[in-house]
Amino acid sequence: MSTKQQSNSISIQNLSLSFGKTEVLKKIDLEIQAGEFFSFLGPSGSGKSTLLRAISGFGPTPSGSIKIGDDDITNLPAWRRNVGMVFQSYALWPHMSVRKNVAFGLEERKIAKKEINRLVDEALDLVSLKDLADRHPSQLSGGQQQRIALARTIVVKPRVLLLDEPLSNLDANLRVQMRRDILSLQRRLGLTTIFVTHDQEEANTISDRMAVLDDGIIQQIGSPVDLYDNPVNRFVASFLGSANIISGQIKNQQFKSSNNLTLETNIKKNKKCDLIIRPQSIDISTTKKQNKNSYQLTGQVLYFEFLGQTVRYFVEVQGHEFIIDCQHTKDKKIINNNEKVFLNITTDQILFL
Amino acid sequence: MESAWNSFYVAGVSVVIASAIALPLAYFTSRFNFGGTVLIQTLGIVPLIMPPFVGAVAMQLLFGTNGSLNLFLGDVFGWNIPFMEGLNGVIFVQSIHYFPFILINLSASLANIDRSMEESALSLGSSGMRLFRRIVLPLGMPGYIAGASLVFIKVFDDLGTPLLLNVNNMLAPQAYLRISSIGISDPMGYVISVILVVISLLAMYVAFLAMRGKEYSTTQKGGGGLMKRELSFKEKIGVYAIILTILSVVLSPHLALTLLSFSTIWSYSIWPDAYTIAHYTEAIGSAGHFITNTMLYAGVAATIDIILGTAIAYIVWRTGIKGRKALDYMAMSALAVPGVVLGIGYLRTFHSTNMPFTDIPLTQFWLIIIIALAIRRLPFALRACTAALQQVSIALEEAAGSLGAKKYSTIKKVVVPLMTGGILAGFVTSFATAAVELSATLMLVSAESDAPIAYGIYVFMQSAAGRGPGAALGIVAVLIVALGVYVSGRIIKNADKKNAITSDN
Ligand SMILES: Nc1ncnc2c1ncn2[C@@H]1O[C@H](COP(=O)(O)OP(=O)(O)OP(=O)(O)O)[C@@H](O)[C@H]1O
Ligand SMILES: [Mg+2]
């Protein structure tokens, strides 16, 4: 290893990859900063694992380039990349004890025995499982296996850490606990990390930035808040949380849906587009209010769901069904089914995409 | 005592040499992508289907004191290599004959290893031989041990080869010579037989101990086994060179046999004097029924074996039924009974029992051959099935169970399909070796029209004039069985492909 501080940013340019004739990744461009916690988020089959595996050197040879820092690793074999990968199945070797599993990568690097012992203890300490060092993987719980897999990977100080749905085999409580542990570990070690998940809450809570993938294409990159507030298309809007999405057309600065729901806009260009409003951005009331800079709609409550901190109303407006989330506080009146309601939406809460 | 030590020595060294032959073949064909892997695997199994007594004859022709190689060395350099002398000869013939046991079982095991096991090692900086030695081979241990213990036991109690090479100071020939010369009531013969059986059982027990308490199953069956790497041009040449060298040695008996089958006269010369195809017309003209009999007997016996093998493996490893271990030992103990001893046993047991509704003694009915073959080959199938089962994680089964699948349908729909590779390996070993089994059939064949091909070859080989046609018939046998092996190899490969797509993550 070189003595100068290596930068461990990741830079992916124009990366495409096919299994046989089916193209699974399409022209991926991606820059990840050194030390960043970055997530790939997307539905099943969107290519998250494939992209992660391409970075670690597995799967079919892609076209395009992958760099870590200044080093082009596109054509390096997996074992020379120094990229740490934690597998969804953990992939602990059943024929080795926990200690042996963790020591493996260090042994491959021909490090002195004493040093290996010290580093292994340190890594096991980091995941607080020093007591289990002499067990075999089959004698561990899922969460413990997960930690060992993590320890085995970070003990070799990889340039980047890749995690493919590391929490998906754990129960809900453990997932929350583990994701905090992973994050604090990552911060402490300053590891550039990519985390694959299809759970948006997981991605939101843990990531500095994330990329939303669909159909082998990166749809959008940004911070969780940024992606939520400013989705670039219908897919991202609907994938991150719930959204009211109505398709229609803009003509002469007027949005018109298929059912002739009409809203003024200041967009000059005529085009087909989707109207997007988050459920909590709509104010619902049984009395009419006059607000500046807002749209007024009238509708009828179809039904509602009481969720505790919010009440979710399903409201029909000109043949479109809107979802509206309303904060609930003690003794706040709930609007009944079939009641006539007035919806109030400030203009800046609406996106035309 | 000397005989016992010799038997140990020969069996042990044969395992080492057989491993040295089988490991590179298994390693290259399972790890790398290059043309002809299935063909190479098939050729690697072919030695097993040479009847040992025929193999010994052929190898004498090539490597014996007056064989081609030594005549050639004598002509050119003026010295000889005593390949075929004494114990060395036995070791040489046995290693070449039995190494496919290791190859088959190890390859099946390697094909079952979860891809992520290897990938995680790769991403930790391991590669090449080290990766193979530290991760891949240990995970393939169930298959290797299954194969190696078979080699040990078969060599340990094989009779035909030492007899043909005139090596009598080993246990099996001692037992045979005593029983055949003094008679069925000689106590010393039985004592030696018992020693044979006990030591074979012991060897199996040691193999069992080596496997016990170790966890080899990998949770997911991902990606259809090991990752296959493309080779560069140089690497390809190297790999082909190594494989060709190995194959040319292990297939030399077949080469000799082929030459013999086409030659008019061949003795005390490097090459045969002249060539002819007359032996083939003679062999096929008079031996068609040998071929159909063989297919029938070996096919039925091997089918019985894999069904029983799967069932027993499952009962022993996945249920808590009382006496399940005893069942395993019982099935495996057939292995420890030399063919001759088994043959004698059958004759004594069934001789006075008639077929139901007929007056024919059971021993004169061809079904007895199938039963004998099935029992004798059951251990092969059982080992293969056990190795396959040990690699199917119990979690997969529990998953099916938790979805409401009954035990039987879990086995049918989950366990057996995941074991396909191993089961087919078991079928191949059972079929191939049953097809050329001589010692038990020799004792049990009562009418020539019921006889299998090994018997035919043996009868031909008795006379000097029959060696040509015998060799021709041997070649036919080898071709038939090789074809069967090749076809099942293709089936395994296709099944793997299917798994690779459906269970990839
Ligand atoms: N070995 C393979 N052969 C052929 N196609 C494959 C293979 N592996 C993946 N694919 C295809 O590539 C696409 C992307 O798969 P990938 O595993 O990357 O999805 P993913 O986003 O990780 O999904 P998940 O959330 O379910 O893990 C899918 O359409 C899949 O069918
Ligand atoms: Mg995935």
Side-chain angles (χ1 to χ4, degrees):
Chain A
M1 297 290 136
S2 65
T3 45
K4 78 168 180 5
Q5 190 62 41
Q6 286 174 310
S7 166
N8 292 329
S9 58
I10 301 172
S11 163
I12 294 174
Q13 266 151 25
N14 202 20
L15 187 90
S16 298
L17 184 150
S18 312
F19 285 107
K21 287 208 175 74
T22 34
E23 196 170 42
V24 172
L25 296 177
K26 298 161 193 166
K27 294 201 166 58
I28 302 278
D29 284 307
L30 186 61
E31 302 288 335
I32 297 173
Q33 314 304 322
E36 194 170 19
F37 201 112
F38 197 92
S39 295
F40 293 162
L41 183 62
S44 192
S46 54
K48 306 180 296 288
S49 298
T50 308
L51 179 52
L52 204 68
R53 292 169 56 80
I55 298 171
S56 47
F58 301 122
T61 314
S63 67
S65 84
I66 305 172
K67 280 187 188 170
I68 298 183
D70 297 327
D71 306 321
D72 191 328
I73 60 163
T74 322
N75 296 313
L76 281 187
W79 53 277
R80 291 186 50 199
R81 293 188 179 199
N82 200 12
V83 162
M85 173 108 168
V86 175
F87 293 79
Q88 186 174 358
S89 58
Y90 314 141
L92 296 176
W93 300 300
H95 62 294
M96 294 182 185
S97 69
V98 163
R99 173 171 289 280
K100 277 270 162 210
N101 263 282
V102 178
F104 182 87
L106 298 170
E107 286 166 8
E108 291 301 306
R109 284 166 174 70
K110 309 240 156 55
I111 290 172
K113 232 194 164 90
K114 249 174 104 180
E115 183 68 358
I116 291 182
N117 278 331
R118 193 180 65 75
L119 290 170
V120 170
D121 284 340
E122 200 178 285
L124 288 175
D125 239 1
L126 220 47
V127 295
S128 18
L129 281 181
K130 215 168 166 181
D131 302 342
L132 305 183
D134 296 318
R135 295 225 194 144
H136 274 256
S138 57
Q139 300 164 319
L140 301 179
S141 74
Q144 291 165 339
Q145 289 185 31
Q146 160 73 76
R147 283 160 199 267
I148 298 301
L150 198 60
R152 181 178 72 179
T153 307
I154 57 176
V155 76
V156 300
K157 307 206 161 50
R159 300 188 68 180
V160 300
L161 176 63
L162 309 181
L163 305 151
D164 192 354
E165 306 205 24
L167 308 180
S168 60
N169 291 342
L170 307 178
D171 74 57
N173 288 331
L174 202 53
R175 287 171 79 126
V176 173
Q177 182 58 46
M178 271 308 291
R179 84 182 178 220
R180 287 186 185 140
D181 289 355
I182 289 178
L183 186 61
S184 79
L185 199 66
Q186 185 265 347
R187 294 288 190 237
R188 229 179 316 160
L189 303 175
L191 271 172
T192 311
T193 300
I194 303 179
F195 183 93
V196 167
T197 178
H198 54 238
D199 179 332
Q200 54 143 327
E201 183 193 308
E202 212 164 87
N204 282 340
T205 50
I206 206 171
S207 330
D208 296 321
R209 288 192 306 147
M210 57 199 204
V212 176
L213 268 90
D214 185 39
D215 199 18
I217 296 172
I218 291 192
Q219 305 290 329
Q220 195 173 1
I221 300 174
S223 70
V225 176
D226 191 27
L227 294 193
Y228 187 83
D229 284 349
N230 302 300
V232 294
N233 60 30
R234 184 189 175 113
F235 175 82
V236 176
S238 63
F239 192 72
L240 298 175
S242 20
N244 293 294
I245 301 178
I246 294 167
S247 30
Q249 257 178 344
I250 291 180
K251 220 178 197 175
N252 307 327
Q253 299 200 25
Q254 220 176 34
F255 173 86
K256 209 173 224 171
S257 78
S258 49
N259 294 349
N260 283 324
L261 175 75
T262 312
L263 297 174
E264 305 295 324
T265 107
N266 48 17
I267 296 174
K268 305 245 160 50
K269 206 174 149 224
N270 295 349
K271 61 174 181 183
K272 282 182 80 144
C273 79
D274 293 319
L275 169 135
I276 294 166
I277 318 169
R278 295 287 179 196
Q280 67 277 26
S281 304
I282 305 174
D283 181 70
I284 183 170
S285 158
T286 44
T287 54
K288 193 161 181 161
K289 293 178 191 168
Q290 272 309 339
N291 277 358
K292 262 202 200 148
N293 291 333
S294 70
Y295 299 105
Q296 315 287 329
L297 300 171
T298 42
Q300 194 178 27
V301 175
L302 298 170
Y303 57 98
F304 67 87
E305 287 171 351
F306 178 64
L307 300 170
Q309 57 182 345
T310 54
V311 182
R312 173 162 287 190
Y313 293 101
F314 295 81
V315 176
E316 197 231 272
V317 179
Q318 284 187 322
H320 297 290
E321 190 178 301
F322 280 78
I323 307 171
I324 298 151
D325 285 346
C326 185
Q327 270 271 321
H328 180 71
T329 47
K330 189 163 178 292
D331 299 330
K332 185 169 174 180
K333 192 173 166 291
I334 287 178
I335 306 165
N336 292 322
N337 292 352
N338 300 322
E339 231 175 295
K340 186 177 172 184
V341 287
F342 300 94
L343 308 184
N344 205 314
I345 310 158
T346 7
T347 43
D348 60 5
Q349 296 293 319
I350 293 194
L351 290 171
F352 295 100
L353 297 175
Chain B
M1 253 353 269
E2 191 207 341
S3 308
W5 167 244
N6 284 343
S7 287
F8 259 117
Y9 170 76
V10 167
V13 176
S14 297
V15 168
V16 172
I17 295 181
S19 304
I21 298 173
L23 275 175
L25 289 182
Y27 174 68
F28 289 135
T29 50
S30 61
R31 291 266 308 145
F32 303 111
N33 235 341
F34 51 90
T37 44
V38 171
L39 184 68
I40 290 166
Q41 289 258 359
T42 308
L43 289 178
I45 293 168
V46 165
L48 204 56
I49 53 189
M50 166 81 73
F53 62 97
V54 179
V57 169
M59 285 178 62
Q60 283 282 23
L61 279 171
L62 280 183
F63 299 110
T65 327
N66 294 312
S68 303
L69 185 64
N70 274 325
L71 286 178
F72 173 76
L73 289 176
D75 281 356
V76 180
F77 303 106
W79 42 261
N80 288 332
I81 304 175
F83 291 107
M84 301 296 291
E85 296 301 304
L87 299 181
N88 284 346
V90 180
I91 292 173
F92 190 36
V93 173
Q94 303 285 39
S95 312
I96 285 185
H97 180 59
Y98 285 121
F99 83 87
F101 282 139
I102 298 180
L103 178 63
I104 295 170
N105 285 300
L106 181 60
S107 300
S109 242
L110 292 181
N112 257 351
I113 296 174
D114 186 303
R115 193 180 54 181
S116 67
M117 290 288 148
E118 196 192 358
E119 287 180 347
S120 49
L122 272 170
S123 73
L124 287 170
S126 194
S127 69
M129 274 315 288
R130 283 183 63 81
L131 173 71
F132 186 76
R133 192 166 54 77
R134 300 202 53 195
I135 304 292
V136 176
L137 190 58
L139 289 173
M141 260 308 147
Y144 176 75
I145 300 239
S149 58
L150 279 179
V151 173
F152 183 90
I153 290 165
K154 289 311 292 177
V155 175
F156 194 77
D157 66 19
D158 185 45
L159 170 66
T161 310
L163 275 188
L164 258 156
L165 294 177
N166 223 350
V167 176
N168 295 332
N169 52 350
M170 292 174 63
L171 286 180
Q174 285 288 319
Y176 172 76
L177 290 175
R178 278 171 188 278
I179 289 178
S180 61
S181 62
I182 305 179
I184 210 158
S185 50
D186 174 38
M188 205 45 211
Y190 287 115
V191 169
I192 297 177
S193 298
V194 169
I195 295 177
L196 273 178
V197 171
V198 168
I199 292 182
S200 299
L201 285 176
L202 218 62
M204 284 187 305
Y205 185 65
V206 169
F208 167 77
L209 281 188
M211 299 301 305
R212 198 179 55 172
K214 300 230 175 101
E215 183 72 34
Y216 289 96
S217 59
T218 54
T219 342
Q220 291 173 311
K221 187 181 156 86
L226 297 174
M227 250 188 307
K228 295 208 170 183
R229 191 157 72 75
E230 296 295 334
L231 290 170
S232 72
F233 184 68
K234 263 193 196 151
E235 290 171 318
K236 239 180 209 169
I237 291 181
V239 165
Y240 276 124
I242 295 172
I243 288 179
L244 282 179
T245 312
I246 294 175
L247 286 181
S248 64
V249 172
V250 300
L251 292 178
S252 54
H254 295 73
L255 179 74
L257 194 65
T258 314
L259 285 178
L260 183 60
S261 73
F262 283 114
S263 60
T264 48
I265 304 170
W266 185 18
S267 62
Y268 295 99
S269 58
I270 296 180
W271 298 106
D273 298 348
Y275 298 94
T276 170
I277 57 160
H279 300 321
Y280 279 89
T281 39
E282 185 181 346
I284 291 172
S286 64
H289 63 280
F290 289 142
I291 296 171
T292 42
N293 285 343
T294 302
M295 298 304 279
L296 177 70
Y297 299 164
V300 174
T303 309
I304 295 174
D305 282 344
I306 54 168
I307 293 170
L308 284 179
T310 309
I312 295 175
Y314 192 87
I315 291 172
V316 171
W317 291 91
R318 292 291 160 88
T319 66
I321 296 173
K322 267 220 180 81
R324 58 188 199 278
K325 287 279 179 275
L327 185 66
D328 192 29
Y329 295 139
M330 246 160 60
M332 290 307 288
S333 63
L335 187 67
V337 182
V340 180
V341 177
L342 192 80
I344 296 168
Y346 273 112
L347 286 178
R348 300 198 70 155
T349 314
F350 293 118
H351 201 65
S352 46
T353 318
N354 283 352
M355 269 296 292
F357 315 115
T358 61
D359 283 339
I360 312 165
L362 198 50
T363 37
Q364 287 184 16
F365 189 58
W366 54 263
L367 201 59
I368 191 78
I369 299 177
I370 294 184
I371 297 175
L373 287 178
I375 292 190
R376 243 172 98 60
R377 296 308 182 225
L378 177 59
F380 295 14
L382 181 56
R383 275 302 83 149
C385 292
T386 303
L389 183 65
Q390 280 173 327
Q391 286 187 317
V392 177
S393 167
I394 204 152
L396 294 171
E397 228 178 291
E398 289 167 349
S402 71
L403 291 171
K406 293 243 167 51
K407 248 302 67 102
Y408 173 73
S409 55
T410 303
I411 296 174
K412 200 177 98 187
K413 291 189 186 151
V414 176
V415 181
V416 170
L418 288 176
M419 288 170 64
T420 313
I423 292 179
L424 266 169
F427 184 85
V428 168
T429 15
S430 299
F431 178 81
T433 53
V436 293
E437 156 91 40
L438 178 70
S439 42
T441 44
L442 199 55
M443 309 294 296
L444 295 170
V445 166
S446 52
E448 214 207 85
S449 61
D450 287 340
I453 207 161
Y455 182 85
I457 301 170
Y458 179 77
V459 171
F460 272 121
M461 287 280 189
Q462 293 292 303
S463 64
R467 276 175 60 183
L473 200 54
I475 293 295
V476 171
V478 168
L479 287 179
I480 293 172
V481 184
L483 193 70
V485 173
Y486 181 76
V487 168
S488 40
R490 286 233 76 101
I491 296 173
I492 295 179
K493 203 169 178 187
N494 288 339
D496 274 355
K497 264 192 200 136
K498 234 171 36 202
N499 278 334
I501 293 166
T502 49
S503 64
D504 192 55
N505 181 48

